[in-house]
Amino acid sequence: MKTADSLIPYILMSVHPLMHASLLVTGLILLGTNYENFFQITGTCPASSGEAFDFISGKKYTLMNQAMIAHVVCLISHWTYQLLSNYDIKVLANVFLMFKMMFYFIYILMIQQSIDFTECSSVTDESQVMAWLTFEILTFYLNIVSLAAFIFI
């Protein structure tokens, strides 16, 4: 066994780089080909304040941009981890690995907290951006379930 084998659950928890790359590329394709319709929300929210109103009035753009940036940061952190591991700089490599895991975990919790509202959910749930952000969260939790199954087996 290698000394870094104990970090395997952290590697798996932060999602494989291929998953980050596929989510990044798919998100960029969605934004690049259908930008106007992707952010379009039909209907109105009667409340002039609150999380749903913030989401409709502009937070949806911020959350989507943060999603793309988070995947880029995770990819760069993972590649840095691999590069440093290749040159036997294990301690610094593991710091980048832990940063990747914590960064992605915090990002997912932030997104989940930002789209979890009850008022005007009938309006926002019909939008493509809400579907994409929900898919990002679902991907993370499915990864956690597969990690638990891996550790159990």
Side-chain angles (χ1 to χ4, degrees), residues 32-66:
T33 59
N34 201 13
Y35 188 82
E36 295 299 323
N37 291 332
F38 184 75
F39 289 107
Q40 182 180 10
I41 295 179
T42 56
T44 58
C45 184
S48 62
S49 64
E51 293 175 348
F53 182 76
D54 292 342
F55 181 80
I56 292 171
S57 63
K59 194 168 186 179
K60 58 189 174 187
Y61 299 105
T62 304
L63 291 173
M64 193 63 191
N65 289 336
Q66 288 174 347

Side-chain angles (χ1 to χ4, degrees), residues 106-140:
I106 291 169
Y107 152 73
I108 286 295
L109 292 179
M110 183 194 70
I111 292 292
Q112 184 176 1
Q113 186 267 335
S114 296
I115 66 171
D116 186 26
F117 43 81
T118 54
E119 75 276 356
C120 300
S121 62
S122 61
V123 174
T124 58
D125 287 348
E126 299 295 322
S127 68
Q128 292 180 21
V129 67
M130 181 64 96
W132 180 258
L133 293 173
T134 304
F135 180 72
E136 292 262 356
I137 294 168
L138 180 66
T139 303
F140 174 76

Side-chain angles (χ1 to χ4, degrees), residues 70-84:
H71 292 303
V72 169
V73 168
C74 287
L75 284 170
I76 291 170
S77 296
H78 187 83
W79 292 331
T80 305
Y81 158 74
Q82 287 182 329
L83 180 70
L84 292 173

Side-chain angles (χ1 to χ4, degrees), residues 9-21:
Y10 298 109
I11 295 169
L12 296 174
M13 181 183 172
S14 63
V15 182
H16 194 276
L18 185 60
M19 182 65 77
H20 284 296

